[in-house]
Amino acid sequence: MLDFFKQMFSSNNVKTTSFLTLYQNLIRWRNGKVYPYSYNLPEAISMPDSFWKDVINIYRMTDSDGKERAISIWYADGELIVTSVTKGDETSVTTKDSISIKYLPHSTRKGYYRKEVFVNKKLLKQVDIFYERVPKKLEINYLFNMHTHPKHIDGEGLPQYSFFSVQDIRSLLSSQAIMVGLVTDKLWFLMRTSETPRTISLNDTEILTVDMLKNDMKLGVYCGNFNSKVIKL
């Protein structure tokens, strides 16, 4: 734990990767059907204000009623899309998000198409696109999921948050995703590497630690305060 705080306080000296570069790398790795080598993982990641707005939003929702929340991040046809919030119960949340895009000939504007973006079968937005800019092939990539854990009050009256669970890790490995996010009073990321096992033999009640995830499962572990960069531990 002491090493963790040392890394947090010395984060100004860490080489930082932008969120744009991160999701470009995620797409490249997914398209190549590979997982990154440990030495290719970023040392730190910075996120835009719009991303932090979504993180803080689900944190506040969970903080208000003790129910887990989740959102999914997708890269679809040249833009980053964050799904609507899914509400779970006190111990779990399950997402079944979907993204689809349609290009339809415009009914009134000659030479234009109407682009319609659907999230979970609901129209998110529509925009007019000149026919020359309509892609020949749609590219829709699921990037990662983020979910919240509610706080619990310990015997001294202080708030505590649970860490990633065994089920969280199983979900990551079965999804084929490269990373997953957890929102407590901080933001946590896990990133798979080429050395991460495809399955785990842990029981559901096993308590995971940062060292276990790093050393036994060969995962990149990141943590950061809200509105700050997340640092690889």
Side-chain angles (χ1 to χ4, degrees), residues 82-96:
V82 178
T83 65
S84 53
V85 178
T86 298
K87 181 180 178 180
D89 57 28
E90 289 82 358
T91 59
S92 66
V93 59
T94 302
T95 57
K96 297 181 179 179

